[in-house]
Amino acid sequence: ADYALWDDGGWRLTVRQVQLARDVGALDQLPFLLNRMAMDTVWNGDFPAATSLIAEADAVREATGSCLAPYPAMMLASFRGRQTEAAPLIQATIEEATAGGQGAAVTWAHWVAAVLCNGLGHYDQALAAARQASQHRHPHISVWALPELIEAATRTGSTHMTGDALDLLAETTQAGGSDLGLGIEARARALLSEGQAAERHYREAIGRLSRTRHRPELARAHLLYGEWLRRQRRRGEAREQLRTAHGMLDAIGMEAFAARARRELRATGENAPKHTVATMVELTAQEAQIARLAREGSRIRRSPPGCFCPRARSSTTWARSSPSSASARAASCAASCRPARTPSRCANPAATSHPHWPLQRIRPRPGQHNDDVAEPLATNRTHTTRSMRQPAATTAKLSRRVS
């Protein structure tokens, strides 16, 4: 219901459910919950965290044999604007879901295809995909396709198709009454308005969306407002909005929409700096997961043989994913892979009897391989005497006083 009414507060419940499933080892529920959390994260504009969650969900699915449509992977690739990644996922999902009678997956694929095509400027294709998604009448996915349909229709001159779409959109946004929904509605109304009415709706959309967590939607509002201002020959004001849009879209990683903002800026006589991917390190999904855990202040431990904990097993990629924090630890499996006293959190409790469990990662010496520096975690350090910890200068001073 929260999705259908544009309520962006449901993510808090999802976060609690994911943590609970991790703690109790509910692997049958975890893939679905991780998928939902990843989708929320994509919509909030945190693509690295979404990549990490997708990797974790894939690892759980592989271990349990569960099968789910790649909802968050399609969404992430489309929001990024990477056609070579998104198109095969979308096409395969439409074919397989249609054959299997999974209408929600088909609707989802058409919706993210519309987002992808609007970002790329392929408005005819975006309009066709959005029409497919909106016609399925899925409780919430079809509603999300309506703003994409309105944007594509106004760009292709097919405004006769927008009246019913705006009415359907307003039914849900007005019922929900959230800043997200009302901001999306105001942005759609601005596209269909002229003069001062359009400007009023754009400003309302930006004001409302700035109070939400959905940075991609706010960035797109700035982009549409800047495009409108440029067409009104208000180049100075257009540059301001387009700069804001480009900066946000580039920081989020929405490459297609950022390129669209760059083109609009050039049309105003200003050249925006192009994002150079060559200067960035492209992390794998597993490495991004480790980096996220480090950012959260976790500790990494190596999982014992036979113990399912994908986050712990990926600890060896730590140095590559976060060189500046190589000395930090991540305890991502502390809640799911305990020693024998809490066997319920480990898929294979017998594995805790491994002679080298638990292990602690330490900094390797020059020329030493990472795999050679694992040592048993010390369980009793109380045998160290006070005198052993005294600096040499302090010990000499005490000796002189005694003599």
Side-chain angles (χ1 to χ4, degrees):
D2 55 339
Y3 285 118
L5 297 178
W6 301 91
D7 181 7
D8 61 346
W11 64 273
R12 296 182 181 89
L13 177 60
T14 303
V15 171
R16 290 197 295 270
Q17 290 175 329
V18 167
Q19 189 59 53
L20 179 62
R22 284 170 173 163
D23 289 344
V24 302
L27 299 183
D28 57 332
Q29 297 294 321
L30 197 54
F32 169 77
L33 294 172
L34 286 170
N35 269 1
R36 176 164 176 168
M37 188 173 174
M39 292 182 287
D40 287 337
T41 308
V42 172
W43 215 348
N44 293 337
D46 191 349
F47 292 176
T51 302
S52 172
L53 291 166
I54 292 170
E56 185 179 355
D58 289 343
V60 178
R61 280 202 303 271
E62 182 179 353
T64 60
S66 61
C67 182
L68 287 173
Y71 291 99
M74 281 190 292
M75 184 179 182
L76 179 59
S78 297
F79 272 57
R80 278 177 166 165
R82 298 181 178 179
Q83 187 173 11
T84 55
E85 295 179 16
L89 283 172
I90 292 170
Q91 185 61 35
T93 299
I94 291 175
E95 294 175 357
E96 295 174 10
T98 301
Q102 300 179 18
V106 176
T107 306
W108 184 278
H110 285 303
W111 167 57
V112 296
V115 175
L116 172 67
C117 293
N118 271 331
L120 294 171
H122 302 165
Y123 299 115
D124 288 331
Q125 298 175 31
L127 180 59
R131 288 186 65 187
Q132 289 281 348
S134 61
Q135 288 172 357
H136 289 177
R137 293 291 188 268
H138 193 274
H140 57 268
I141 306 175
S142 298
V143 174
W144 298 344
L146 296 175
E148 306 301 329
L149 187 151
I150 293 171
E151 181 173 341
T154 56
R155 294 294 184 255
T156 57
S158 305
T159 53
H160 61 280
M161 302 171 55
T162 59
D164 292 340
L166 183 60
D167 291 340
L168 290 172
L169 177 63
E171 288 179 7
T172 58
T173 57
Q174 295 294 328
S178 66
D179 279 324
L180 173 61
L182 295 175
I184 294 290
E185 180 190 345
R187 194 180 70 188
R189 289 189 182 280
L191 286 167
L192 301 174
S193 303
E194 297 179 355
Q196 293 183 353
E199 186 160 17
R200 184 175 64 254
H201 288 311
Y202 278 125
R203 291 185 177 276
E204 179 188 354
I206 291 172
R208 289 187 178 277
L209 293 173
S210 64
R211 295 193 290 268
T212 72
R213 304 174 71 247
H214 293 256
R215 293 187 301 151
E217 301 298 342
L218 174 60
R220 291 181 64 179
H222 282 290
L223 173 59
L224 290 171
Y225 187 26
E227 290 175 339
W228 180 82
L229 287 169
R230 186 181 72 81
R231 287 164 177 75
Q232 299 298 311
R233 302 183 182 278
R234 296 161 59 178
R235 292 193 172 190
E237 296 170 89
R239 290 191 191 102
E240 181 180 353
Q241 294 297 324
L242 293 170
R243 283 193 209 106
T244 301
H246 180 266
M248 293 182 66
L249 293 165
D250 190 56
I252 293 171
M254 300 179 70
E255 300 165 10
F257 282 100
R260 184 170 138 186
R262 237 180 353 259
R263 290 193 299 269
E264 289 289 328
L265 270 173
R266 282 199 299 267
T268 66
E270 179 174 328
N271 289 324
K274 187 174 182 180
H275 181 66
T276 55
V277 181
T279 61
M280 297 184 60
V281 177
E282 184 74 16
L283 301 181
T284 66
Q286 196 176 50
E287 290 170 340
Q289 184 181 0
I290 297 300
R292 177 179 63 85
L293 293 171
R295 187 170 65 248
E296 295 171 355
S298 303
R299 296 179 58 197
I300 293 181
R301 287 183 180 178
R302 179 182 296 175
S303 64
C307 177
F308 174 77
C309 184
R311 290 176 291 174
R313 289 178 180 269
S314 57
S315 62
T316 55
T317 64
W318 173 259
R320 286 189 297 153
S321 62
S322 184
S324 62
S325 305
S327 61
R329 309 281 197 265
S332 59
C333 91
S336 55
C337 295
R338 295 286 187 185
R341 66 175 180 271
T342 56
S344 61
R345 293 186 180 183
C346 183
N348 186 4
T352 57
S353 62
H354 192 270
H356 298 303
W357 171 256
L359 298 177
Q360 183 180 22
R361 304 291 294 179
I362 64 175
R363 190 182 298 277
R365 295 190 300 273
Q368 189 176 18
H369 194 272
N370 285 340
D371 293 338
D372 298 329
V373 298
E375 63 179 11
L377 187 66
T379 56
N380 186 5
R381 301 177 185 266
T382 57
H383 64 276
T384 305
T385 63
R386 182 184 182 89
S387 61
M388 292 174 62
R389 296 194 297 270
Q390 293 283 359
T394 304
T395 305
K397 185 183 297 184
L398 292 174
S399 299
R400 288 197 298 272
R401 289 181 179 179
V402 172
S403 61

